[in-house]
Amino acid sequence: MSLKSFDKFCEKMILSEPGSQKEIFDERQKILQNKLGTEALLVYAVASVLCCMSAEFIYKWTESCCFALIALGAICAVYYQIRCSMKGCLIGINGLTAKRYSGWTMILLGALNMIRYAMDSLDP
């Protein structure tokens, strides 16, 4: 048995044990997550600056833009999750298959809950 096949054999034994399955991210996924996280933070920074400028100079009657900044943060978090899911780095790889369905389910439920909470806040 060669060293490479022995390493594969040990990896298969470790990952196949119940209770020891972990989310494994390869280097490509980690790099993409960092890049997309930076992109989402940049989008949030630009959007929050525009929001604060509009609250200061256009709508001078507003006292605070705290709710708008929190809403922008939630939108940028959903944006980050969608981008990570599109690039295939949202959910770790377990063996050879990627868990895509759980990621899409999480994104869909998060978006639906955000819409529900927005509609509840509009009611008097």
Side-chain angles (χ1 to χ4, degrees):
M1 183 181 283
S2 69
L3 187 59
K4 188 174 184 177
S5 62
F6 180 73
D7 286 342
K8 288 288 184 185
F9 173 74
C10 290
E11 181 181 351
K12 187 185 291 186
M13 281 184 49
I14 291 170
L15 291 178
S16 66
E17 291 179 12
S20 69
Q21 294 185 354
K22 299 178 182 176
E23 298 297 328
I24 301 171
F25 289 98
D26 61 356
E27 289 300 316
R28 180 193 65 83
Q29 285 180 317
K30 290 179 185 176
I31 291 170
L32 277 173
Q33 279 183 341
N34 288 336
K35 181 182 153 200
L36 294 175
T38 305
E39 178 183 315
L41 284 175
L42 183 64
V43 167
Y44 177 72
V46 169
S48 62
V49 165
L50 291 175
C51 177
C52 290
M53 284 178 57
S54 69
E56 240 353 91
F57 300 118
I58 298 172
Y59 302 110
K60 295 182 180 182
W61 50 268
T62 58
E63 293 180 12
S64 168
C65 58
C66 181
F67 176 74
L69 292 177
I70 292 171
L72 284 174
I75 290 170
C76 286
V78 170
Y79 169 77
Y80 170 73
Q81 290 178 348
I82 290 172
R83 291 280 292 159
C84 282
S85 181
M86 296 289 282
K87 295 286 186 175
C89 62
L90 179 65
I91 304 296
I93 295 174
N94 189 5
L96 298 175
T97 60
K99 296 180 183 177
R100 293 181 190 263
Y101 298 112
S102 59
W104 282 107
T105 304
M106 181 177 62
I107 289 171
L108 179 66
L109 288 176
L112 291 175
N113 280 331
M114 193 167 69
I115 292 170
R116 187 187 71 170
Y117 290 137
M119 291 299 180
D120 287 344
S121 66
L122 293 177
D123 289 335

